[in-house]
Amino acid sequence: MAPTPITSPVPVVWYPTLAVLMLSVGLMVTASFFIYEATSSRINRSLTKELITGAVASFFLGFGSLFLLLATGVYV
């Protein structure tokens, strides 16, 4: 019995689209984080909101960077 090759769960054709979409969302969430930090006073800030916003931005920017590398042929 011959071994089966490892394939991506996401079709290769979707890599550029996913990269643009996820990086765009990540940059928008990052921008909203910076706007929140610049416009809210120190007393009104919420650590929970900051952590959630940072985690969401990190998630989208991380996977967006991954798909950008895959779309350009850098297989990681």
Side-chain angles (χ1 to χ4, degrees):
M1 186 167 138
T4 59
I6 298 173
T7 59
S8 172
V10 179
V12 177
V13 180
W14 291 4
Y15 289 169
T17 305
L18 285 172
V20 170
L21 180 70
M22 293 187 118
L23 286 172
S24 299
V25 171
L27 289 174
M28 285 189 283
V29 174
T30 302
S32 73
F33 177 79
F34 283 124
I35 291 170
Y36 174 75
E37 290 294 320
T39 59
S40 64
S41 67
R42 185 176 287 249
I43 297 168
N44 294 334
R45 289 187 187 154
S46 168
L47 179 62
T48 306
K49 183 175 181 179
E50 291 177 11
L51 290 174
I52 290 172
T53 306
V56 170
S58 176
F59 174 82
F60 280 106
L61 289 174
F63 277 104
S65 300
L66 172 70
F67 283 116
L68 180 65
L69 287 170
L70 292 174
T72 57
V74 180
Y75 293 102
V76 291

